[in-house]
Amino acid sequence: RDSGHVVLRTNNRLEPGEYDVYCDSPINVNDEPWVQRLISFNVSGREDAFKIGIRARDGRCVISGVVNRAAYRGEWTRFEAAHIFPLEKENLWVERGSADGLRTWMIQTECRKINSLQNGMLIRRDIHNSFDQYLISVNPDVSVSLNNILIFILTESQDNYKIFDGRVLDPVCRDPNNPHSVSDELLRWHFRQSVLANMRGAGEPIFEHDFTGEDMIKVISGERYGNERLEMEVEARLRGFVKFQYYCYVLWPQTTDGRSIFQAGSDHWK
């Protein structure tokens, strides 16, 4: 603003500063909130089939293209099956169908479960963290050719991954003949969240996940959105326990007095 320099349309990054924006049409300011997320991990055992299926389908990190040469002996140390829609937000998946076009997609594809293979990709462990933090994303609407869509790095803090910016997502996960191929709708949802988290103001905070030698609760409590993150952390860790209770008390056969067999057995064991 102070320089008086006019910046025309460009694909180059702008320097930090204050800018006046002029255009020939109205500007709509978006106040849509971003969906906070943690690094997805297995707490209930229900993700085992998801992990096995993603490994079998992809066999490599679809972001970097690195193939797991040790797959034949069952070694997957450097690779993780990442959820596109966050695992700890399963309540949002169920309650809202996640909006943004996903409800229609879920109905059309009969994909009702968050652990569907369409909601996952195999990526390197170090990249998984950045993907879950919305720092690396894939835009299914920008392609170089049919079935070749591009990867984007959303922040300059990811200098180590600049080599992936503009790289084509490995098509092994998007085989149009595979009914379990990754969903463009889910990739579109993730990319939108990445834009919301990084392209407004100074961007949303990046959560700390290395608590070596530190008090985890104290660190999280001091973060921006600390209360919200504590709630997510607890919810994520209780997923397996809550599901176990649900199956025991709701899905198990009922006794004649209306109690579940599990509940009746628990009373007997006391």
Side-chain angles (χ1 to χ4, degrees), residues 46 90 94 113 238-254 260-263:
R46 293 184 301 130
E90 186 172 10
V94 173
K113 298 181 180 179
L238 288 178
R239 285 182 66 250
F241 176 72
V242 171
K243 290 295 180 180
F244 176 71
Q245 281 193 322
Y246 175 81
Y247 281 108
C248 288
Y249 284 88
V250 179
L251 300 183
W252 282 33
Q254 301 291 309
S260 71
I261 291 176
F262 174 80
Q263 183 180 10

mmCIF file of all heavy atoms in Angstrom, residues 46 90 94 113 238-254 260-263:
data_model
loop_
_atom_site.group_PDB
_atom_site.id
_atom_site.type_symbol
_atom_site.label_atom_id
_atom_site.label_comp_id
_atom_site.label_asym_id
_atom_site.label_seq_id
_atom_site.Cartn_x
_atom_site.Cartn_y
_atom_site.Cartn_z
ATOM 1 N N ARG A 46 -10.701 -50.749 14.343
ATOM 2 C CA ARG A 46 -11.558 -50.760 13.162
ATOM 3 C C ARG A 46 -10.816 -50.261 11.930
ATOM 4 O O ARG A 46 -11.266 -50.438 10.808
ATOM 5 C CB ARG A 46 -12.807 -49.896 13.391
ATOM 6 C CG ARG A 46 -13.746 -50.429 14.437
ATOM 7 C CD ARG A 46 -14.999 -49.583 14.539
ATOM 8 N NE ARG A 46 -14.668 -48.209 14.864
ATOM 9 C CZ ARG A 46 -15.129 -47.164 14.190
ATOM 10 N NH1 ARG A 46 -15.900 -47.331 13.154
ATOM 11 N NH2 ARG A 46 -14.804 -45.939 14.553
ATOM 12 N N GLU A 90 -15.464 -38.079 13.071
ATOM 13 C CA GLU A 90 -16.457 -39.028 12.577
ATOM 14 C C GLU A 90 -17.876 -38.572 12.892
ATOM 15 O O GLU A 90 -18.812 -38.810 12.132
ATOM 16 C CB GLU A 90 -16.210 -40.414 13.172
ATOM 17 C CG GLU A 90 -17.111 -41.494 12.595
ATOM 18 C CD GLU A 90 -16.726 -42.887 13.049
ATOM 19 O OE1 GLU A 90 -15.883 -43.011 13.965
ATOM 20 O OE2 GLU A 90 -17.260 -43.857 12.489
ATOM 21 N N VAL A 94 -20.889 -38.277 10.169
ATOM 22 C CA VAL A 94 -22.189 -38.922 10.317
ATOM 23 C C VAL A 94 -23.320 -37.910 10.351
ATOM 24 O O VAL A 94 -24.339 -38.060 9.671
ATOM 25 C CB VAL A 94 -22.208 -39.781 11.597
ATOM 26 C CG1 VAL A 94 -23.608 -40.327 11.856
ATOM 27 C CG2 VAL A 94 -21.209 -40.924 11.492
ATOM 28 N N LYS A 113 -19.053 -45.057 5.410
ATOM 29 C CA LYS A 113 -18.130 -45.220 6.526
ATOM 30 C C LYS A 113 -16.872 -44.388 6.327
ATOM 31 O O LYS A 113 -16.321 -44.302 5.231
ATOM 32 C CB LYS A 113 -17.774 -46.695 6.685
ATOM 33 C CG LYS A 113 -18.982 -47.577 7.002
ATOM 34 C CD LYS A 113 -18.581 -49.034 7.175
ATOM 35 C CE LYS A 113 -19.794 -49.893 7.497
ATOM 36 N NZ LYS A 113 -19.429 -51.329 7.657
ATOM 37 N N LEU A 238 -11.211 -41.679 22.887
ATOM 38 C CA LEU A 238 -12.380 -42.403 23.396
ATOM 39 C C LEU A 238 -13.164 -43.093 22.289
ATOM 40 O O LEU A 238 -14.137 -43.790 22.577
ATOM 41 C CB LEU A 238 -13.310 -41.450 24.146
ATOM 42 C CG LEU A 238 -12.815 -40.954 25.501
ATOM 43 C CD1 LEU A 238 -13.828 -39.981 26.103
ATOM 44 C CD2 LEU A 238 -12.569 -42.101 26.463
ATOM 45 N N ARG A 239 -12.762 -42.910 21.043
ATOM 46 C CA ARG A 239 -13.524 -43.481 19.935
ATOM 47 C C ARG A 239 -13.732 -44.974 20.090
ATOM 48 O O ARG A 239 -14.838 -45.486 19.977
ATOM 49 C CB ARG A 239 -12.820 -43.209 18.597
ATOM 50 C CG ARG A 239 -12.952 -41.801 18.103
ATOM 51 C CD ARG A 239 -12.274 -41.633 16.755
ATOM 52 N NE ARG A 239 -12.966 -42.401 15.742
ATOM 53 C CZ ARG A 239 -12.487 -43.496 15.165
ATOM 54 N NH1 ARG A 239 -11.312 -43.975 15.532
ATOM 55 N NH2 ARG A 239 -13.170 -44.126 14.248
ATOM 56 N N GLY A 240 -12.655 -45.697 20.350
ATOM 57 C CA GLY A 240 -12.763 -47.145 20.482
ATOM 58 C C GLY A 240 -13.631 -47.548 21.647
ATOM 59 O O GLY A 240 -14.464 -48.448 21.555
ATOM 60 N N PHE A 241 -13.484 -46.853 22.788
ATOM 61 C CA PHE A 241 -14.259 -47.179 23.984
ATOM 62 C C PHE A 241 -15.743 -46.920 23.761
ATOM 63 O O PHE A 241 -16.595 -47.727 24.108
ATOM 64 C CB PHE A 241 -13.758 -46.352 25.157
ATOM 65 C CG PHE A 241 -14.552 -46.542 26.427
ATOM 66 C CD1 PHE A 241 -14.456 -47.719 27.158
ATOM 67 C CD2 PHE A 241 -15.402 -45.549 26.880
ATOM 68 C CE1 PHE A 241 -15.185 -47.896 28.315
ATOM 69 C CE2 PHE A 241 -16.135 -45.713 28.031
ATOM 70 C CZ PHE A 241 -16.031 -46.896 28.757
ATOM 71 N N VAL A 242 -16.049 -45.760 23.154
ATOM 72 C CA VAL A 242 -17.451 -45.407 22.901
ATOM 73 C C VAL A 242 -18.094 -46.404 21.948
ATOM 74 O O VAL A 242 -19.225 -46.844 22.144
ATOM 75 C CB VAL A 242 -17.554 -43.975 22.345
ATOM 76 C CG1 VAL A 242 -18.973 -43.687 21.867
ATOM 77 C CG2 VAL A 242 -17.131 -42.965 23.404
ATOM 78 N N LYS A 243 -17.376 -46.788 20.882
ATOM 79 C CA LYS A 243 -17.921 -47.752 19.941
ATOM 80 C C LYS A 243 -18.156 -49.098 20.611
ATOM 81 O O LYS A 243 -19.132 -49.770 20.361
ATOM 82 C CB LYS A 243 -16.959 -47.917 18.753
ATOM 83 C CG LYS A 243 -16.893 -46.693 17.855
ATOM 84 C CD LYS A 243 -18.219 -46.439 17.171
ATOM 85 C CE LYS A 243 -18.159 -45.219 16.286
ATOM 86 N NZ LYS A 243 -19.459 -44.954 15.610
ATOM 87 N N PHE A 244 -17.236 -49.488 21.514
ATOM 88 C CA PHE A 244 -17.397 -50.751 22.216
ATOM 89 C C PHE A 244 -18.670 -50.723 23.061
ATOM 90 O O PHE A 244 -19.460 -51.658 23.066
ATOM 91 C CB PHE A 244 -16.168 -51.000 23.106
ATOM 92 C CG PHE A 244 -16.275 -52.239 23.945
ATOM 93 C CD1 PHE A 244 -16.202 -53.492 23.373
ATOM 94 C CD2 PHE A 244 -16.446 -52.136 25.317
ATOM 95 C CE1 PHE A 244 -16.294 -54.635 24.137
ATOM 96 C CE2 PHE A 244 -16.543 -53.268 26.094
ATOM 97 C CZ PHE A 244 -16.466 -54.526 25.516
ATOM 98 N N GLN A 245 -18.882 -49.607 23.764
ATOM 99 C CA GLN A 245 -20.095 -49.473 24.559
ATOM 100 C C GLN A 245 -21.334 -49.542 23.672
ATOM 101 O O GLN A 245 -22.329 -50.178 24.014
ATOM 102 C CB GLN A 245 -20.084 -48.146 25.317
ATOM 103 C CG GLN A 245 -19.232 -48.153 26.574
ATOM 104 C CD GLN A 245 -19.521 -46.931 27.417
ATOM 105 O OE1 GLN A 245 -19.726 -45.834 26.888
ATOM 106 N NE2 GLN A 245 -19.542 -47.109 28.717
ATOM 107 N N TYR A 246 -21.257 -48.873 22.517
ATOM 108 C CA TYR A 246 -22.403 -48.847 21.620
ATOM 109 C C TYR A 246 -22.790 -50.252 21.183
ATOM 110 O O TYR A 246 -23.946 -50.644 21.253
ATOM 111 C CB TYR A 246 -22.073 -47.990 20.395
ATOM 112 C CG TYR A 246 -23.161 -47.990 19.344
ATOM 113 C CD1 TYR A 246 -24.280 -47.174 19.474
ATOM 114 C CD2 TYR A 246 -23.078 -48.815 18.225
ATOM 115 C CE1 TYR A 246 -25.276 -47.172 18.512
ATOM 116 C CE2 TYR A 246 -24.063 -48.827 17.265
ATOM 117 C CZ TYR A 246 -25.162 -48.003 17.417
ATOM 118 O OH TYR A 246 -26.138 -48.018 16.473
ATOM 119 N N TYR A 247 -21.799 -51.028 20.776
ATOM 120 C CA TYR A 247 -22.084 -52.381 20.315
ATOM 121 C C TYR A 247 -22.597 -53.249 21.448
ATOM 122 O O TYR A 247 -23.460 -54.099 21.254
ATOM 123 C CB TYR A 247 -20.835 -52.994 19.678
ATOM 124 C CG TYR A 247 -20.597 -52.521 18.282
ATOM 125 C CD1 TYR A 247 -19.573 -51.644 17.982
ATOM 126 C CD2 TYR A 247 -21.431 -52.926 17.234
ATOM 127 C CE1 TYR A 247 -19.364 -51.184 16.693
ATOM 128 C CE2 TYR A 247 -21.229 -52.477 15.933
ATOM 129 C CZ TYR A 247 -20.198 -51.614 15.678
ATOM 130 O OH TYR A 247 -20.003 -51.153 14.405
ATOM 131 N N CYS A 248 -22.067 -53.041 22.645
ATOM 132 C CA CYS A 248 -22.486 -53.869 23.776
ATOM 133 C C CYS A 248 -23.907 -53.540 24.222
ATOM 134 O O CYS A 248 -24.717 -54.430 24.455
ATOM 135 C CB CYS A 248 -21.518 -53.667 24.948
ATOM 136 S SG CYS A 248 -19.903 -54.403 24.690
ATOM 137 N N TYR A 249 -24.224 -52.254 24.337
ATOM 138 C CA TYR A 249 -25.489 -51.862 24.924
ATOM 139 C C TYR A 249 -26.617 -51.694 23.916
ATOM 140 O O TYR A 249 -27.781 -51.746 24.264
ATOM 141 C CB TYR A 249 -25.324 -50.532 25.684
ATOM 142 C CG TYR A 249 -24.618 -50.702 27.004
ATOM 143 C CD1 TYR A 249 -23.235 -50.640 27.086
ATOM 144 C CD2 TYR A 249 -25.334 -50.943 28.166
ATOM 145 C CE1 TYR A 249 -22.577 -50.810 28.286
ATOM 146 C CE2 TYR A 249 -24.687 -51.106 29.380
ATOM 147 C CZ TYR A 249 -23.310 -51.044 29.437
ATOM 148 O OH TYR A 249 -22.663 -51.215 30.628
ATOM 149 N N VAL A 250 -26.269 -51.482 22.662
ATOM 150 C CA VAL A 250 -27.305 -51.228 21.657
ATOM 151 C C VAL A 250 -27.483 -52.410 20.712
ATOM 152 O O VAL A 250 -28.596 -52.822 20.414
ATOM 153 C CB VAL A 250 -26.966 -49.955 20.853
ATOM 154 C CG1 VAL A 250 -28.031 -49.713 19.787
ATOM 155 C CG2 VAL A 250 -26.859 -48.754 21.779
ATOM 156 N N LEU A 251 -26.392 -52.967 20.233
ATOM 157 C CA LEU A 251 -26.482 -53.984 19.197
ATOM 158 C C LEU A 251 -26.527 -55.410 19.734
ATOM 159 O O LEU A 251 -26.951 -56.305 19.031
ATOM 160 C CB LEU A 251 -25.296 -53.840 18.235
ATOM 161 C CG LEU A 251 -25.210 -52.491 17.516
ATOM 162 C CD1 LEU A 251 -24.043 -52.506 16.541
ATOM 163 C CD2 LEU A 251 -26.498 -52.196 16.770
ATOM 164 N N TRP A 252 -26.067 -55.608 20.966
ATOM 165 C CA TRP A 252 -26.114 -56.950 21.510
ATOM 166 C C TRP A 252 -27.559 -57.338 21.825
ATOM 167 O O TRP A 252 -28.399 -56.488 22.114
ATOM 168 C CB TRP A 252 -25.275 -57.034 22.787
ATOM 169 C CG TRP A 252 -23.810 -57.126 22.513
ATOM 170 C CD1 TRP A 252 -23.124 -56.552 21.484
ATOM 171 C CD2 TRP A 252 -22.846 -57.833 23.286
ATOM 172 N NE1 TRP A 252 -21.806 -56.848 21.574
ATOM 173 C CE2 TRP A 252 -21.591 -57.627 22.660
ATOM 174 C CE3 TRP A 252 -22.910 -58.608 24.440
ATOM 175 C CZ2 TRP A 252 -20.424 -58.175 23.153
ATOM 176 C CZ3 TRP A 252 -21.733 -59.149 24.929
ATOM 177 C CH2 TRP A 252 -20.510 -58.943 24.291
ATOM 178 N N PRO A 253 -27.900 -58.615 21.770
ATOM 179 C CA PRO A 253 -29.270 -59.051 22.073
ATOM 180 C C PRO A 253 -29.697 -58.620 23.469
ATOM 181 O O PRO A 253 -28.884 -58.552 24.397
ATOM 182 C CB PRO A 253 -29.178 -60.578 21.964
ATOM 183 C CG PRO A 253 -27.985 -60.819 21.099
ATOM 184 C CD PRO A 253 -27.016 -59.717 21.400
ATOM 185 N N GLN A 254 -30.967 -58.312 23.610
ATOM 186 C CA GLN A 254 -31.498 -57.850 24.882
ATOM 187 C C GLN A 254 -32.026 -59.019 25.720
ATOM 188 O O GLN A 254 -32.489 -60.033 25.205
ATOM 189 C CB GLN A 254 -32.644 -56.847 24.644
ATOM 190 C CG GLN A 254 -32.234 -55.633 23.840
ATOM 191 C CD GLN A 254 -31.299 -54.735 24.610
ATOM 192 O OE1 GLN A 254 -31.582 -54.367 25.758
ATOM 193 N NE2 GLN A 254 -30.171 -54.405 23.999
ATOM 194 N N SER A 260 -29.108 -55.269 28.070
ATOM 195 C CA SER A 260 -28.307 -56.028 27.128
ATOM 196 C C SER A 260 -27.642 -57.181 27.863
ATOM 197 O O SER A 260 -27.498 -57.167 29.082
ATOM 198 C CB SER A 260 -27.228 -55.145 26.490
ATOM 199 O OG SER A 260 -26.226 -54.834 27.424
ATOM 200 N N ILE A 261 -27.237 -58.208 27.100
ATOM 201 C CA ILE A 261 -26.551 -59.345 27.705
ATOM 202 C C ILE A 261 -25.282 -58.876 28.400
ATOM 203 O O ILE A 261 -24.943 -59.321 29.491
ATOM 204 C CB ILE A 261 -26.217 -60.403 26.631
ATOM 205 C CG1 ILE A 261 -27.509 -61.049 26.133
ATOM 206 C CG2 ILE A 261 -25.266 -61.454 27.170
ATOM 207 C CD1 ILE A 261 -27.290 -62.040 25.004
ATOM 208 N N PHE A 262 -24.577 -57.910 27.776
ATOM 209 C CA PHE A 262 -23.340 -57.412 28.359
ATOM 210 C C PHE A 262 -23.615 -56.755 29.700
ATOM 211 O O PHE A 262 -22.922 -56.973 30.683
ATOM 212 C CB PHE A 262 -22.692 -56.417 27.402
ATOM 213 C CG PHE A 262 -21.465 -55.735 27.966
ATOM 214 C CD1 PHE A 262 -20.243 -56.392 27.966
ATOM 215 C CD2 PHE A 262 -21.551 -54.460 28.505
ATOM 216 C CE1 PHE A 262 -19.114 -55.772 28.486
ATOM 217 C CE2 PHE A 262 -20.436 -53.858 29.026
ATOM 218 C CZ PHE A 262 -19.218 -54.501 29.015
ATOM 219 N N GLN A 263 -24.670 -55.920 29.732
ATOM 220 C CA GLN A 263 -24.998 -55.224 30.970
ATOM 221 C C GLN A 263 -25.394 -56.201 32.042
ATOM 222 O O GLN A 263 -24.972 -56.093 33.197
ATOM 223 C CB GLN A 263 -26.131 -54.227 30.709
ATOM 224 C CG GLN A 263 -26.484 -53.392 31.941
ATOM 225 C CD GLN A 263 -27.601 -52.416 31.659
ATOM 226 O OE1 GLN A 263 -28.220 -52.479 30.622
ATOM 227 N NE2 GLN A 263 -27.845 -51.526 32.606
#
